[in-house]
Amino acid sequence: MPVLVIGLIVLGLVFLPGFWVRQVMARYSQPNDRYSVTGGQAARRLLDLHGLQHVGTEATNTGDHYSPDEKMVRLSAANYSGKSLTAITVAAHEVGHAVQDATGYPALHLRTRLVRWVGPIEKLGAVLLIGAPVIIAITRAPSAGGLMLLGGFLTLGAGVVVHLLTLPTEFDASFGRALPMLAEHDVLIPGDERHARRLLGAAAMTYVSASLMSLLNIARWLAILRR
């Protein structure tokens, strides 16, 4: 019974944040004409006010994000063209990342560099995972099992490190950048600030959920190895 309870708690910690985020985003996506400008227009205005005319904006089907390499704020079609509180707030959050980039925010720059290495590291880990059983079968050396352990950590651990570095970046973009700029430039309708704060918390929590999922994957893999 204690194991079942612990398992349910872990699953709740992993999946409930994502569920809560979707609920919050959907709630404030209506009405879709609450503001006179779209999320894309709000992003453009905030970028210009911060002297970031070189940063572009565009709609995307790969989710709301800022690309440090391409200097581009990308918003989902609903947020780019929508005029809801969600659209405006998410736009401000992504502009917050652009401001981080422009001001040399260390966590963002470190994360950006690590992301470039994650792909090759994960591929190396996958090669080790696939090759380790073959090496063990040929050499019959128990120590070769260490290759499987290393491969697993390279494959799963790289993502965990990136997610953990993402957390301070996301919270700073929400509460250290977006919320102050929304207030400073009178973007929000009076009374919407507390709702925007909830939305910005939700935007950051998406990565909390992703980090917990990565840690759960490592725990599951270690449990399999111990069998």
Side-chain angles (χ1 to χ4, degrees):
M1 184 61 69
V3 175
L4 177 60
V5 172
I6 293 172
L8 290 174
I9 291 174
V10 170
L11 289 175
L13 289 173
V14 171
F15 293 107
L16 285 180
F19 175 77
W20 177 73
V21 167
R22 289 190 294 273
Q23 291 294 105
V24 171
M25 293 291 182
R27 176 180 178 183
Y28 295 111
S29 292
Q30 300 297 327
N32 197 34
D33 59 353
R34 183 165 178 77
Y35 285 83
S36 60
V37 296
T38 65
Q41 291 168 334
R44 181 71 270 157
R45 180 192 170 206
L46 291 171
L47 287 168
D48 292 344
L49 287 170
H50 284 82
L52 301 178
Q53 287 81 4
H54 63 286
V55 176
T57 63
E58 65 180 11
T60 181
N61 58 5
T62 57
D64 307 291
H65 66 279
Y66 168 69
S67 171
D69 292 330
E70 299 171 272
K71 309 301 180 191
M72 187 72 69
V73 169
R74 295 191 171 103
L75 302 173
S76 65
N79 288 332
Y80 188 84
S81 302
K83 297 180 179 180
S84 65
L85 177 59
T86 292
I88 301 301
T89 306
V90 170
H93 174 84
E94 299 306 334
V95 171
H97 286 306
V99 175
Q100 287 176 334
D101 187 21
T103 56
Y105 184 65
L108 176 68
H109 286 182
L110 180 57
R111 178 189 178 277
T112 302
R113 287 195 292 270
L114 282 176
V115 165
R116 297 191 185 107
W117 286 95
V118 166
I121 289 174
E122 289 181 338
K123 288 179 181 177
L124 175 60
V127 169
L128 290 175
L129 283 174
I130 294 172
V134 177
I135 294 173
I136 293 172
I138 294 175
T139 64
R140 299 189 181 279
S143 59
L147 292 175
M148 185 174 293
L149 185 65
L150 176 61
F153 273 113
L154 288 176
T155 303
L156 299 174
V160 170
V161 172
V162 170
H163 284 312
L164 292 178
L165 271 174
T166 299
L167 292 180
T169 304
E170 292 299 316
F171 279 101
D172 179 76
S174 281
F175 301 108
R177 315 283 175 163
L179 199 60
M181 76 172 68
L182 288 171
E184 178 185 355
H185 301 299
D186 296 320
V187 176
L188 298 176
I189 294 172
D192 272 2
E193 183 176 342
R194 64 189 180 93
H195 303 305
R197 182 182 293 275
R198 184 175 298 174
L199 277 163
L200 289 168
M205 282 296 291
T206 58
Y207 292 92
V208 173
S209 180
S211 298
L212 290 172
M213 179 62 76
S214 296
L215 291 172
L216 179 62
N217 286 336
I218 285 185
R220 289 170 56 193
W221 177 72
L222 288 175
I224 292 171
L225 285 182
R226 295 171 70 179
R227 290 177 182 175

